[in-house]
Amino acid sequence: MNSCIDCLPCLLRQTLEAARMSTEDVALQETIMREILAELAAMDFDRTTPIISGKIHEIVRRHTGVVDPYKSRKDLSTARALEFCDTWARSAVEAADPFDAAVRLAIAGNVIDLAALTGITHHEIEETLRGSLTAQIAGDSIEAVRAEVEAASDILYLADNAGETVFDRFLIERIGPHKVTYVVKGYPSINDAVLDDARHAGLDELVSIIDNGSDVPGTVLELCPPEFRERFAAADLVIAKGQGNYESLSDSDARVIFLLKAKCDVVARALDVPTGSLVVKIKCA
Amino acid sequence: MNSCIDCLPCLLRQTLEAARMSTEDVALQETIMREILAELAAMDFDRTTPIISGKIHEIVRRHTGVVDPYKSRKDLSTARALEFCDTWARSAVEAADPFDAAVRLAIAGNVIDLAALTGITHHEIEETLRGSLTAQIAGDSIEAVRAEVEAASDILYLADNAGETVFDRFLIERIGPHKVTYVVKGYPSINDAVLDDARHAGLDELVSIIDNGSDVPGTVLELCPPEFRERFAAADLVIAKGQGNYESLSDSDARVIFLLKAKCDVVARALDVPTGSLVVKIKCA
């Protein structure tokens, strides 16, 4: 899907955060903001938001030399998610319809920005996760997801943020790890998971992991190296987590199951669901 | 106070809203956004945010020809505020310490964006207003405000948004309307009150009203005509409502009582209060 002028304030907020996380030099932060404003003034709205976002983070990186500004935040997210993974979350999955619960937790991982929740208690996070187990799902059904993954034998599972990576474990276990290749970003991009983050989450012991060779917060195939594009084309099903993957793959010709929270009006409109919904969307090839 | 890079996403959100309220032509909205991004890229952060905001709205106006895009929204705000004014609000003021309650309602008017609350019930708005009657006040005390206004004999009361104008009535009544000159904007600026809005609110029957001859969402003295600057200098006390007036007058050499909600981190930091606080701030001349 294309970006639009609604994305501008949000992109600018993202820039500000990245600039602040990369340098404490206020004059440098200002220089970065000015360059990005000029970039946005000339930007092509026919490009997807992850492409523009990638360009923004490239500018921040060029000015500051900081390659992974979200590293400590990603580590915190992963650590907090792991606290839930093998205690409450595993028993929640086992107590319910395990496939249904696993899909819901994979989406719920996308709901909570664990690193942002420093003032929020363990109990409150658990309540949010628990809420996802009974929340209404917008778009398509989890039953349809079950049918899709049962019929597929080579599934690419496109990860999103570092923290939520932890919650992908249950769904991969239910699908069968032998059928799944887990895909992280090639280089740091906001708080998206790279190989190290997936290892922190313990996923390397469960499933085969590759990276997409790219540094944008989504899966923009034309920016990925040929090896990844071939691997993508060879899979018979793609599971894509989060808004960035939806924005970049909604117009692709692959068979994709999108699992996400529709966090903003632009994406919610494109999906035809209420803003804030937990969404399952199955796109035919 | 100066603006800073934190203001950029917010200014851009404001631009987007104003562009949308002024024209349905998507291509024109895009042109406006591009011009404003370029403007912001070169902007001087030593200027206050209301100056930049004024410039932005001038660009929107130049492209669309729409002078008062918030007119219908302001009318709705005023109508909704009036529903409370002579029923619940008047009895609430009379039942409590009337001066204390009047100051609180003047601030509470700044808390609620009445036009944005289309999905919210009369009862819920009443609950929010009622909450302000007992909420903690950050900064200085209402007792100090009482002493200031009792000692003053020529008070300029600088209005903010159209809807909250209605709630200024009680405080003007308590101060004594003969001591007060109520000041609205000279020309439309976002949802700030102009003369027509103050008349809609019925304030012309209570108090003398003038306009400041300017079209920025604050009181930027250097952009006001000499007559207003002289009137401002002659007053022995200024009461200034809302963030825009704080941002533009915090460094002036007048004696000012600021009444506002600290809606954003930038203003809250400048005031040294928690974001979201209801604030009374008395600035000595």
Side-chain angles (χ1 to χ4, degrees):
Chain A
M1 57 177 280
N2 294 346
S3 63
C4 67
I5 54 176
D6 296 78
C7 303
L8 291 167
C10 194
L11 283 165
L12 214 56
R13 200 166 29 75
Q14 209 181 80
T15 305
L16 186 60
E17 184 182 87
R20 287 254 164 75
M21 294 187 78
S22 300
T23 177
E24 292 183 357
D25 179 340
V26 176
L28 184 56
Q29 290 168 359
E30 199 179 304
T31 303
I32 292 168
M33 293 306 282
R34 286 187 197 282
E35 183 168 337
I36 287 166
L37 285 162
E39 179 78 24
L40 291 173
M43 112 184 182
D44 178 1
F45 290 109
D46 286 339
R47 295 189 296 179
T48 68
T49 306
I51 296 181
I52 301 161
S53 182
K55 178 75 188 163
I56 283 176
H57 291 275
E58 187 188 309
I59 293 171
V60 177
R61 204 159 51 231
R62 172 162 50 75
H63 278 284
T64 64
V66 178
V67 174
D68 195 358
Y70 287 77
K71 179 78 174 76
S72 61
R73 195 157 155 178
K74 289 192 295 181
D75 288 349
L76 177 61
S77 284
T78 302
R80 292 199 122 199
L82 282 170
E83 286 173 25
F84 289 95
C85 186
D86 280 317
T87 54
W88 176 82
R90 182 161 298 283
S91 54
V93 167
E94 283 164 6
D97 169 344
F99 187 86
D100 180 275
V103 171
R104 288 168 173 277
L105 283 183
I107 302 174
N110 187 241
V111 170
I112 307 178
D113 182 353
L114 289 145
L117 301 180
T118 45
I120 294 184
T121 65
H122 190 92
H123 177 72
E124 286 166 321
I125 297 174
E126 187 179 310
E127 284 305 298
T128 305
L129 290 172
R130 194 187 300 278
S132 74
L133 295 176
T134 51
Q136 188 166 356
I137 300 292
D140 295 310
S141 72
I142 295 178
E143 275 316 299
V145 175
R146 197 192 304 256
E148 288 286 336
V149 302
E150 278 175 4
S153 59
D154 180 10
I155 301 173
L156 279 195
Y157 191 121
L158 310 182
D160 188 23
N161 303 335
E164 68 179 273
T165 302
V166 170
F167 293 102
D168 292 330
R169 164 179 288 274
F170 303 109
L171 182 52
I172 295 168
E173 285 174 352
R174 292 295 142 188
I175 295 171
H178 61 286
K179 289 166 70 169
V180 177
T181 303
Y182 195 69
V183 183
V184 294
K185 303 300 185 293
Y187 305 94
S189 180
I190 323 179
N191 60 345
D192 280 18
V194 293
L195 216 49
D196 245 17
D197 302 309
R199 286 186 185 131
H200 264 171
L203 289 179
D204 55 331
E205 293 163 12
L206 175 70
V207 64
S208 161
I209 307 178
I210 62 170
D211 76 63
N212 71 0
S214 143
D215 68 349
V216 305
T219 305
V220 180
L221 291 171
E222 62 267 34
L223 298 181
C224 295
E227 313 86 84
F228 180 74
R229 291 208 297 272
E230 279 160 31
R231 184 67 193 83
F232 187 91
D236 47 23
L237 180 65
V238 174
I239 295 176
K241 292 280 306 288
Q243 287 207 163
N245 281 325
Y246 178 74
E247 289 171 296
S248 47
L249 289 173
S250 63
D251 299 326
S252 82
D253 48 16
R255 191 166 191 87
V256 187
I257 299 174
F258 295 104
L259 303 179
L260 70 153
K261 180 177 184 180
K263 292 176 181 170
C264 75
D265 293 347
V266 178
V267 168
R269 267 201 305 275
L271 282 159
D272 195 22
V273 300
T275 303
S277 304
L278 308 191
V279 184
V280 167
K281 189 79 180 180
I282 302 176
K283 190 184 75 61
C284 297
Chain B
M1 56 177 280
N2 293 346
S3 64
C4 67
I5 54 175
D6 296 77
C7 303
L8 290 167
C10 194
L11 283 165
L12 214 55
R13 201 168 26 77
Q14 208 181 83
T15 305
L16 187 61
E17 185 182 87
R20 286 253 164 77
M21 294 187 77
S22 300
T23 175
E24 291 183 357
D25 179 341
V26 176
L28 184 56
Q29 290 168 359
E30 200 179 304
T31 302
I32 293 168
M33 293 307 283
R34 286 187 198 282
E35 182 168 338
I36 286 166
L37 285 162
E39 178 79 22
L40 291 174
M43 110 186 184
D44 177 1
F45 290 109
D46 286 339
R47 294 190 295 180
T48 68
T49 305
I51 296 181
I52 301 161
S53 183
K55 178 75 188 161
I56 282 176
H57 290 275
E58 187 187 311
I59 293 172
V60 176
R61 203 159 52 231
R62 173 161 49 74
H63 278 283
T64 64
V66 178
V67 173
D68 195 359
Y70 287 76
K71 178 79 174 74
S72 61
R73 196 158 154 176
K74 289 192 295 181
D75 288 349
L76 177 61
S77 284
T78 302
R80 292 199 123 199
L82 282 170
E83 286 174 25
F84 289 96
C85 185
D86 279 316
T87 54
W88 176 83
R90 180 161 299 284
S91 55
V93 167
E94 283 164 6
D97 169 343
F99 187 86
D100 180 275
V103 171
R104 288 167 175 277
L105 283 182
I107 303 174
N110 188 242
V111 170
I112 307 178
D113 182 352
L114 289 147
L117 301 181
T118 45
I120 294 182
T121 64
H122 191 91
H123 177 72
E124 286 165 322
I125 298 174
E126 187 178 312
E127 285 305 298
T128 304
L129 291 172
R130 193 187 300 278
S132 73
L133 295 176
T134 52
Q136 189 168 355
I137 301 291
D140 295 309
S141 71
I142 294 177
E143 276 316 297
V145 175
R146 196 192 304 257
E148 289 285 335
V149 302
E150 278 175 4
S153 58
D154 179 10
I155 301 174
L156 278 195
Y157 191 120
L158 310 182
D160 189 22
N161 303 336
E164 69 179 272
T165 301
V166 170
F167 293 102
D168 292 330
R169 164 178 288 275
F170 303 109
L171 182 53
I172 295 168
E173 286 174 352
R174 292 295 141 188
I175 294 171
H178 62 285
K179 289 166 70 168
V180 177
T181 303
Y182 195 69
V183 183
V184 295
K185 302 301 184 294
Y187 305 93
S189 180
I190 323 180
N191 59 346
D192 281 18
V194 293
L195 215 50
D196 245 17
D197 301 309
R199 285 185 186 133
H200 263 171
L203 289 179
D204 56 330
E205 293 162 12
L206 175 71
V207 65
S208 158
I209 306 178
I210 62 170
D211 76 63
N212 71 0
S214 143
D215 68 349
V216 305
T219 305
V220 180
L221 291 171
E222 61 267 35
L223 298 181
C224 295
E227 312 86 84
F228 180 74
R229 290 210 297 273
E230 280 160 30
R231 183 67 192 84
F232 187 90
D236 47 23
L237 180 64
V238 174
I239 295 176
K241 293 278 307 287
Q243 288 206 164
N245 281 325
Y246 178 74
E247 289 170 298
S248 47
L249 289 172
S250 62
D251 299 327
S252 83
D253 47 16
R255 191 168 191 86
V256 187
I257 299 174
F258 295 103
L259 303 179
L260 70 153
K261 181 178 183 181
K263 292 176 181 172
C264 76
D265 292 347
V266 178
V267 168
R269 266 201 307 275
L271 282 160
D272 195 21
V273 300
T275 303
S277 303
L278 308 191
V279 185
V280 167
K281 189 80 181 181
I282 302 176
K283 191 184 75 63
C284 297

